[in-house]
């Protein structure tokens, strides 16, 4: 890629990951594409991450380190954006790592396809170190103009009722290359995940509604470490309420750009999936009042209102039965289905 000299800024928020940080930074430093700047944001780490970042900056002049008070992932990325000077930007989480060709491949697609944004597939790094490749839903697809809303953004939020998965596209920002021009011109920033969970989808709403040409490639170039804590479905009693806060934020943000009719059934699918996920966590937990907790979700006014109109009969069979149980508040049916689902997951 000698003919291309576009600078790519790579923002890495860092917090208490000394076990993985060197692997992450090494994968970025050794990229085949060399015109990069690496912005390490030490978000008030309490372990040795700050010192590790400083040591890397001494070894490579492309690395810039910012030490700041802890404010969370979203605000750490925003700090990185304030310092970024590249024409494109990527986000890498500090406990993950990337393929040595990732920047080169994504930038090549952006230049050749005249795209402002490029997404790729990912590889899940299981706790036992097994690698599970997950190619992108789309293979070598270019979306232009309004296609980006329906085929990319809304597919991140939620799928159509007939689809197998609640969403066909990952909403995470770490498997993509973004245009800094779009970010600067529209003053795009991340909200705090401490106020709104899934800050990445809020970023994507603001960003993708201004994108002009978006490319997807199947290549699995990002290595995402699966957190074993999430696998055990640890119950968080506040999670469903936070899902509802996110739902309101998504609708408020989308209303600025498109009509409600265009997105509402997708967001309803996402929130119903959130309710189901919370119930799975309840059943897998050590909570003693599981049926009462499930009943509380069944009695939730937002869930009841959604299921008055949502065409759940078009859902795949498991989701259809689950949503039937939610609509008619059959807690024992929901419990049994959740128990069987968790058991099948191992």
């Amino acid at each position: 890629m000698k003919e291309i000299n576009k600078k790519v800024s790579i923002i890495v928020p860092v917090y208490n990951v000394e076990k993985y940080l060197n692997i992450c930074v090494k994968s970025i430093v050794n990229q085949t594409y060399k015109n990069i700047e690496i912005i390490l944001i030490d978000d008030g780490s309490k372990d040795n991450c700050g010192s590790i970042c400083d040591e890397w900056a001494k070894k490579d002049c492309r690395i810039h380190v910012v030490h700041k008070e802890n404010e969370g992932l979203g605000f750490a990325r925003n700090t990185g954006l304030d310092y970024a000077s590249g024409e494109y930007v990527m986000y890498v989480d500090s406990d993950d790592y990337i393929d040595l060709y990732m920047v080169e491949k994504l930038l090549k697609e952006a230049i050749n396809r005249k795209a402002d944004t490029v997404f790729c597939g990912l590889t899940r790094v299981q706790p036992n170190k097994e690698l599970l490749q997950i190619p992108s839903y789309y293979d070598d697809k270019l979306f232009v103009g309004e296609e980006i809303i329906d085929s990319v953004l809304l597919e991140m939020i939620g799928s159509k009722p007939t689809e197998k998965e609640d969403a066909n596209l990952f909403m995470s920002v770490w498997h993509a290359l973004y245009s800094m021009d779009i970010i600067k011109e529209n003053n795009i920033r991340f909200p705090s995940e401490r106020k709104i969970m899934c800050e990445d989808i809020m970023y994507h709403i603001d960003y993708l509604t201004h994108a002009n040409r978006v490319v997807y490639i199947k290549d699995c170039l990002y290595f995402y470490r699966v957190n074993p804590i999430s696998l055990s479905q640890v119950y968080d009693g506040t999670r469903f309420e936070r899902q509802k806060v996110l739902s309101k934020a998504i609708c408020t943000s989308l209303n600025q750009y498109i009509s409600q009719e265009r997105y509402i059934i997708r967001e309803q699918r996402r929130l119903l999936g959130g309710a189901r996920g919370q119930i799975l966590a309840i059943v897998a937990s050590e909570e003693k009042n599981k049926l009462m907790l499930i009943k509380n979700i069944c009695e939730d006014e937002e869930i009841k209102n959604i299921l008055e109109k949502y065409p759940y009969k078009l859902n795949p069979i498991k989701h259809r039965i689950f949503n039937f149980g939610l609509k008619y508040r059959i807690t024992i049916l929901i419990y049994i289905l959740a128990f069987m689902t968790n058991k099948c997951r191992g």
Side-chain angles (χ1 to χ4, degrees), residues 115-117 119 141-143 148 152 208 211-216:
D116 44 56
T117 314
F119 290 91
K141 294 278 285 186
L142 170 66
F143 300 99
I148 297 169
V152 180
L208 289 172
N212 297 303
R213 295 171 68 88
V214 174
V215 169
Y216 266 85

Side-chain angles (χ1 to χ4, degrees), residues 20-273:
Y20 302 114
L21 184 55
N22 281 321
I23 296 172
C24 174
V25 179
K26 185 177 179 181
S27 74
I28 302 172
V29 166
N30 291 334
Q31 287 292 299
T32 55
Y33 186 76
K34 302 303 181 183
N35 190 13
I36 60 176
E37 66 173 357
I38 305 162
I39 306 172
L40 304 179
I41 308 298
D42 171 25
D43 192 33
S45 296
K46 297 177 182 179
D47 59 6
N48 292 318
C49 282
S51 298
I52 295 172
C53 289
D54 290 337
E55 286 302 312
W56 273 105
K58 294 175 183 177
K59 298 175 187 177
D60 194 318
C61 63
R62 299 173 300 173
I63 295 177
H64 310 286
V65 179
V66 180
H67 300 282
K68 62 185 289 294
E69 292 184 5
N70 178 259
E71 293 182 288
L73 181 63
F75 284 179
R77 287 173 175 161
N78 291 343
T79 298
L81 288 172
D82 292 339
Y83 281 86
S85 62
E87 293 165 86
Y88 295 91
V89 64
M90 291 170 52
Y91 306 98
V92 177
D93 285 356
S94 52
D95 52 348
D96 299 333
Y97 58 99
I98 62 178
D99 186 281
L100 297 182
Y101 292 90
M102 184 171 180
V103 177
E104 179 178 338
K105 287 185 176 181
L106 295 187
L107 185 58
K108 184 177 179 181
E109 289 291 333
I111 301 302
N112 290 346
R113 308 292 283 276
K114 298 181 179 179
D116 44 56
T117 314
V118 184
F119 290 91
C120 66
L122 64 110
T123 298
R124 279 195 174 130
V125 183
Q126 304 293 106
N128 63 1
K129 298 185 180 180
E130 177 186 356
L131 302 180
L132 176 62
Q133 289 196 333
I134 305 178
S136 292
Y137 181 70
Y138 298 121
D139 183 12
D140 191 29
K141 294 278 285 186
L142 170 66
F143 300 99
V144 180
E146 284 296 304
E147 294 177 332
I148 297 169
I149 303 296
D150 293 306
S151 298
V152 180
L153 177 57
L154 295 185
E155 289 288 358
M156 287 181 179
I157 291 172
S159 60
K160 296 177 181 177
T162 54
E163 294 286 333
K164 180 180 178 181
E165 302 294 336
D166 287 326
N168 286 319
L169 301 182
F170 290 101
M171 62 175 65
S172 302
V173 298
W174 36 245
H175 65 306
L177 179 79
Y178 300 94
S179 163
M180 276 300 294
D181 283 344
I182 291 177
I183 292 169
K184 289 177 180 178
E185 288 170 8
N186 300 283
N187 193 30
I188 296 169
R189 289 295 185 271
F190 291 87
S192 169
E193 72 277 8
R194 295 173 182 176
K195 293 184 178 180
I196 300 177
M197 63 185 297
C198 300
E199 70 284 354
D200 289 11
I201 193 59
M202 303 307 299
Y203 171 93
H204 274 133
I205 291 173
D206 290 337
Y207 180 92
L208 289 172
T209 47
H210 294 98
N212 297 303
R213 295 171 68 88
V214 174
V215 169
Y216 266 85
I217 60 174
K218 271 193 177 289
D219 306 50
C220 299
L221 303 175
Y222 190 93
F223 290 81
Y224 167 75
R225 290 188 193 274
V226 176
N227 186 341
I229 295 176
S230 64
L231 288 179
S232 64
Q233 296 180 312
V234 173
Y235 173 61
D236 174 359
T238 69
R239 185 171 179 82
F240 181 60
E241 290 302 315
R242 291 189 291 122
Q243 287 277 7
K244 293 196 294 181
V245 171
L246 173 62
S247 183
K248 288 184 174 63
I250 288 173
C251 292
T252 299
S253 189
L254 283 173
N255 281 337
Q256 300 177 61
Y257 305 110
I258 59 177
S259 66
Q260 186 184 70
E261 293 76 16
R262 198 167 168 188
Y263 71 79
I264 193 63
I265 202 165
R266 311 261 199 168
E267 171 50 28
Q268 289 173 341
R269 174 78 186 258
R270 189 203 65 78
L271 188 55
L272 287 172

